[in-house]
């Protein structure tokens, strides 16, 4: 399973690597990417009734993984909502960004 | 360290200790700050320092002239050096007089109509350097030769002698460690932003202005010979005044130089760098010697004369050492750098001197002022005519890579479900290849209508989304496209988009996109 929402690309993987560290939720939300210019976020919100989060974000070196425990939605101000089924997903990551762009001297990440 | 630490007034061996390293870091910082000075030069400090420097080299006391910027220094030096040369070589003087007379006769411009700061400064500095010199002794040596001799004398007596003596007084480990802690550290922090930038920029400015001045003179001569002669005197005066008023500071200074010393002055101005020394902008060496002396405790006899070099570096910026005069530039009013200490300012000059002379740099690359101040005036033609590939890249970046691609006529390499792959060849650089993609979700602030989006990306790709949007109540959705630069070897839009996510085309097949 592969999904793309703007510059965030999710791909199903078997499991989260050992030693991965959980990324703390931001204000009760799991944020996959922050728009540096607009302030918009690719995010998963907590359940309104219980306040519980349906997914957890992990970091392992320069990779990130999303562990979805209950069916939920990835939302963003400028993109259609992406439905997520339970499972483990690898989240695209390049430096501080989620998509890379070529530059003759070096690779730099995209700031949306 | 396995060698024994030795510290005497004449020997320093065994490398450096952690405590010494800390003190050296402080010295390095002090000299970096001196290199980046932006407060005004103080004549009561620099004049005695320069006079002492000449005395240390057994040279006669020079006239010390403070000039507002290295640019004025280059032209004022050119004029003054040539005037001195002519006074000492009467044959050359005749040539110069002929040049000047011809120039004056053919060029109707009366520059006193608009006395710009640079014009006045160049003239003043030249007069200061040559005043009361009518009775100067005749000297057979040419100007360049005497200037070089002065440089060599001051340099050999202070800098070179101190360097040699210090090297001899230390072992390899101490020398290397001290150099690394001071010279190398100071150089890394200052070189790009001060010495290199000013040197290159002054050289370029002098070349450009000399060319401009020469061309302008020819232009004036032609005008005088043809239609200017038939025009009313008031017209000619107005025209000339306007041309001068609109000139860049470099042109004005070059004109002043040519006015006072003819082509000989301009030729000397082009060679300004030969007898020049960096002053505070050559900070690495003073920081290294200060470490040897003040931290390791060396007290070598050479340090006595060297003190004059250090004082001249502490209290003045770039200088030109001539047998008769020494011109010292004031410090810049401002210096802007990036985190790597390269001269840089996105929105204004990287360097500005108190006479208004400015340099512009983007991450260490010198660019024309327009590129920084008025990027909206950059055109595709200007970009394609730029011969320096680093400058061209910056111009393209500021113009907008994607806009350049569209305006300059890019080739469509491929169009598929993922987007459009475009290429524009750039002279003497790798081609710009970008993938143009459509945001799957239409947005209120999108720049493309459905028809435009369909034309660029294909009707199929747009129509299904448009139908969905209409079902949701958006009658006339607008579309946002964006461009991502990808490696030049990309063959399809699919491969290019996959690359932006770090996967191959085979691995990239999203089940859902928004």
């Amino acid at each position: 399973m592969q999904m793309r929402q703007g510059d965030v690309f999710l791909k199903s993987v078997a499991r989260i690597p050992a030693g991965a560290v959980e990324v703390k939720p931001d204000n009760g939300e799991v944020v996959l990417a922050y728009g540096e210019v607009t302030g918009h976020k690719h995010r998963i919100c907590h359940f309104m009734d219980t306040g519980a989060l349906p997914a957890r974000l992990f970091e392992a070196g320069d990779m990130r993984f999303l562990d979805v425990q209950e069916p939920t939605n990835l939302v963003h101000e400028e993109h259609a909502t992406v439905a997520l089924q339970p499972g483990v997903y690898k989240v695209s990551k390049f430096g501080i960004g989620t998509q890379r762009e070529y530059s003759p001297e070096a690779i730099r990440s995209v700031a949306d | 360290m396995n060698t024994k630490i030795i510290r005497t007034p004449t020997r320093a061996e065994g490398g450096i200790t952690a405590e010494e390293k800390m003190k050296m870091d402080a010295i390095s910082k002090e000299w970096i700050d001196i290199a980046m000075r932006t407060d005004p030069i103080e004549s009561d400090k620099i004049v005695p320092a320069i006079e002492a420097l000449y005395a240390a080299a057994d040279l006669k006391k020079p006239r010390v002239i403070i000039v507002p910027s290295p640019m004025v220094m280059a032209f004022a030096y050119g004029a003054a050096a040539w005037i001195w040369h002519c006074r000492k070589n009467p044959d050359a003087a005749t040539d110069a007089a002929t040049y000047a007379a011809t120039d004056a006769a053919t060029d109707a411009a009366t520059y006193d109509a608009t006395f710009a700061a640079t014009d006045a400064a160049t003239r003043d500095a030249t007069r200061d350097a040559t005043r009361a010199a009518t009775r100067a002794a005749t000297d057979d040596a040419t100007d360049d030769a005497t200037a070089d001799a002065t440089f060599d004398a001051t340099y050999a007596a202070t800098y070179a002698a101190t360097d040699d003596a210090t090297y001899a007084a230390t072992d390899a480990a101490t020398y290397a460690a001290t150099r690394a802690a001071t010279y190398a550290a100071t150089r890394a922090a200052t070189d790009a932003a001060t010495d290199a930038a000013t040197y290159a920029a002054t050289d370029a400015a002098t070349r450009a202005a000399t060319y401009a001045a020469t061309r302008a003179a020819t232009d004036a001569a032609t005008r005088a010979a043809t239609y200017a002669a038939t025009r009313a005197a008031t017209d000619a005066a107005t025209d000339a005044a306007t041309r001068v008023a609109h000139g860049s500071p470099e042109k004005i200074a070059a004109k002043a130089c040519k006015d006072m010393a003819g082509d000989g002055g301009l030729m000397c101005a082009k060679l300004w760098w030969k007898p020049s020394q960096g002053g505070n902008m050559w900070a690495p060496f003073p920081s290294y010697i200060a470490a040897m002396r003040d931290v390791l405790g060396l007290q070598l006899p050479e340090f006595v004369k060297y003190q004059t070099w250090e004082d001249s570096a502490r209290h003045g910026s770039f200088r030109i050492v001539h047998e008769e005069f020494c011109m010292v530039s004031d410090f810049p009013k401002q210096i802007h750098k990036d985190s790597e200490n390269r001269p840089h300012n996105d929105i204004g000059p990287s360097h500005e001197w108190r006479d208004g002379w400015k340099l512009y740099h983007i991450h260490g690359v010198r660019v024309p002022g327009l590129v920084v101040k008025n990027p909206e005036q950059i055109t595709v033609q200007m970009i394609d005519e730029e011969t320096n590939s680093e400058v061209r890249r910056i111009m393209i970046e500021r113009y907008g890579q994607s806009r350049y691609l569209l305006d300059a006529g890019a080739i469509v390499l491929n169009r598929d479900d993922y987007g459009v792959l475009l290429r524009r060849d750039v002279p003497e650089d790798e081609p710009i290849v970008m993938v143009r993609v459509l945001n799957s979700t239409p947005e209120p602030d999108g720049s493309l209508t459905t028809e435009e989006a369909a034309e660029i990306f294909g009707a199929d790709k747009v129509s299904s989304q448009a139908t969905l949007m209409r079902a949701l109540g958006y009658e006339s959705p607008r579309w946002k496209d964006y461009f991502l630069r990808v490696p030049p070897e990309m063959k399809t839009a699919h491969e290019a988009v996959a690359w932006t996510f770090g996967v191959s085309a085979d691995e990239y097949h999203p089940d859902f996109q928004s």
Side-chain angles (χ1 to χ4, degrees):
Chain A
M1 196 70 176
Q2 294 184 2
M3 275 87 80
R4 183 179 68 81
Q5 186 182 57
D7 58 351
V8 173
F9 178 55
L10 300 175
K11 189 182 165 187
S12 292
V13 291
R15 70 184 76 82
I16 293 173
V21 183
E22 182 168 4
V23 180
K24 282 195 177 148
D26 179 351
N27 241 336
E29 294 174 340
V30 176
V31 180
L32 300 190
Y34 296 86
E36 283 178 30
V37 180
T38 57
H40 294 165
K41 291 179 273 194
H42 296 273
R43 66 192 198 276
I44 293 165
C45 307
H46 60 72
F47 292 121
M48 292 305 287
D49 48 356
T50 62
L53 276 165
R56 297 164 74 192
L57 186 63
F58 290 88
E59 220 162 36
D62 60 354
M63 295 184 293
R64 287 192 311 166
F65 297 88
L66 184 68
D67 184 1
V68 179
Q69 285 127 11
E70 310 223 22
T72 185
N73 292 325
L74 179 62
V75 298
H76 187 274
E77 287 81 349
E78 290 187 344
H79 297 277
T81 298
V82 176
L84 292 173
Q85 294 306 312
V88 177
Y89 300 84
K90 188 176 171 195
V91 184
S92 61
K93 181 175 190 290
F94 297 96
I96 55 162
T98 50
Q99 189 175 22
R100 64 177 167 170
E101 193 171 4
Y102 177 78
S103 72
E105 302 88 349
I107 308 271
R108 61 190 167 88
S109 55
V110 175
D112 76 340
Chain B
M1 294 295 156
N2 45 21
T3 39
K4 195 173 159 227
I5 296 268
I6 294 173
R7 299 286 181 264
T8 75
T10 54
R11 284 304 296 169
E13 291 186 12
I16 62 172
T17 67
E19 195 194 337
E20 286 168 344
K21 172 72 166 69
M22 272 174 56
K23 289 181 181 166
M24 286 182 190
D25 288 347
I27 285 175
S28 181
K29 187 185 174 304
E30 182 195 353
W31 278 95
I32 291 167
D33 290 346
I34 291 170
M36 301 293 172
R37 272 186 74 169
T38 50
D39 55 321
I41 194 167
E42 296 161 278
S43 65
D44 59 331
K45 289 184 176 152
I46 188 62
V47 173
I50 295 291
E51 286 173 355
L53 176 67
Y54 273 61
D58 298 322
L59 297 169
K60 68 177 180 185
K61 191 168 151 183
R63 293 172 172 77
V64 180
I65 303 105
I66 293 169
V67 290
S69 72
M71 191 275 291
V72 165
M73 180 182 81
F75 287 109
Y77 159 72
W82 184 250
I83 290 167
W84 272 105
H85 177 63
C86 293
R87 284 186 181 149
K88 295 175 181 181
N89 299 273
D91 289 348
T94 313
D95 288 352
T98 312
Y99 270 128
T102 312
D103 197 30
T106 52
D107 193 343
T110 43
Y111 301 133
D112 46 351
T114 46
F115 241 91
T118 43
D119 179 89
T122 307
R123 287 166 194 268
D124 288 351
T126 308
R127 287 197 187 102
D128 286 351
T130 54
R131 183 178 297 144
T134 41
R135 283 167 286 134
T138 313
D139 188 340
D140 291 333
T142 66
D143 177 68
D144 281 349
T146 54
D148 282 356
T150 308
F151 181 95
D152 291 347
T154 51
Y155 191 81
T158 59
Y159 189 114
T162 303
D163 199 19
D164 290 350
T166 310
Y167 183 74
T170 53
D171 71 339
T174 311
Y175 178 79
T178 308
R179 287 285 282 205
T182 55
Y183 190 98
T186 309
R187 189 180 170 88
T190 59
D191 198 33
T194 56
D195 176 27
T198 313
Y199 234 119
T202 311
D203 186 49
T206 305
R207 282 166 197 275
T210 305
Y211 179 62
T214 316
R215 231 180 8 179
T218 314
D219 179 41
T222 314
R223 274 167 182 272
T226 57
Y227 69 89
T230 64
R231 285 173 76 170
T234 48
D235 279 358
T238 312
D239 177 51
T242 310
R243 275 191 296 132
V244 172
H246 288 176
S248 63
E250 291 91 343
K251 281 187 190 167
I252 293 165
K255 275 196 171 281
C257 175
K258 188 178 164 69
D259 227 19
M260 299 185 81
D263 286 346
L266 289 176
M267 283 162 68
C268 288
K270 278 165 85 172
L271 297 172
W272 72 273
W273 50 272
K274 285 179 75 179
S276 76
Q277 295 169 347
N280 74 318
M281 295 194 172
W282 285 2
F285 188 77
S287 86
Y288 142 74
I289 293 299
M292 289 288 188
R293 182 189 59 204
D294 303 340
V295 180
L296 303 186
L298 287 180
Q299 292 172 31
L300 305 176
E302 287 80 2
F303 288 176
V304 176
K305 284 189 169 185
Y306 167 74
Q307 188 64 48
T308 64
W309 178 280
E310 181 180 309
D311 293 344
S312 302
R314 187 182 290 276
H315 299 302
S317 193
F318 262 81
R319 62 178 174 263
I320 286 178
V321 288
H322 184 277
E323 185 192 31
E324 300 291 343
F325 60 85
C326 181
M327 283 185 189
V328 190
S329 171
D330 191 3
F331 306 106
K333 189 166 80 175
Q334 51 169 322
I335 304 177
H336 297 281
K337 306 166 288 168
D338 64 11
S339 59
E340 290 174 44
N341 278 310
R342 296 172 302 188
H344 171 77
N345 187 354
D346 264 330
I347 52 168
S350 58
H351 303 68
E352 182 177 0
W353 278 264
R354 266 168 273 276
D355 60 356
W357 190 52
K358 302 176 182 79
L359 300 175
Y360 296 83
H361 288 82
I362 299 291
H363 296 301
V365 178
R366 188 180 183 218
V367 295
L370 175 142
V371 172
V372 172
K373 284 183 300 180
N374 307 98
E376 73 284 354
Q377 288 174 18
I378 299 171
T379 63
V380 169
Q381 190 188 351
M382 284 163 66
I383 293 169
D384 289 348
E385 283 173 357
E386 173 58 52
T387 54
N388 181 309
S389 59
E390 279 191 301
V391 173
R392 196 188 313 114
R393 272 188 191 175
I394 290 164
M395 290 170 82
I396 290 173
E397 214 161 85
R398 291 184 84 87
Y399 185 82
Q401 290 194 94
S402 55
R403 199 178 137 217
Y404 175 70
L405 224 64
L406 294 179
D407 294 353
I411 306 163
V412 174
L413 292 178
N414 167 258
R415 190 193 311 262
D416 60 24
D417 289 348
Y418 294 87
V420 183
L421 192 65
L422 299 159
R423 189 185 79 203
R424 172 58 151 81
D425 291 325
V426 183
E428 289 167 57
D429 203 350
E430 59 180 272
I432 297 175
V433 175
M434 297 185 99
V435 60
R436 185 180 193 181
V437 292
L438 186 68
N439 248 4
S440 311
T441 316
E443 293 167 26
D445 60 343
S447 58
L448 302 172
T449 63
T450 299
E451 290 69 30
E452 286 165 340
E455 169 147 3
I456 296 161
F457 294 98
D460 290 354
K461 192 168 165 59
V462 175
S463 66
S464 59
Q465 285 291 329
T467 307
L468 175 67
M469 294 314 291
R470 290 201 182 98
L472 294 173
Y474 296 95
E475 276 310 314
S476 324
R478 292 187 73 85
W479 306 79
K480 198 183 257 185
D481 60 340
Y482 59 105
F483 291 76
L484 295 166
R485 188 163 179 183
V486 295
E489 63 272 16
M490 293 289 126
K491 296 279 185 290
T492 67
H494 184 190
E495 184 189 11
V497 173
W499 180 90
T500 66
F501 289 114
V503 295
S504 70
D506 290 344
E507 292 171 291
Y508 184 72
H509 291 283
D511 300 283
F512 184 81
Q513 304 192 61
S514 77

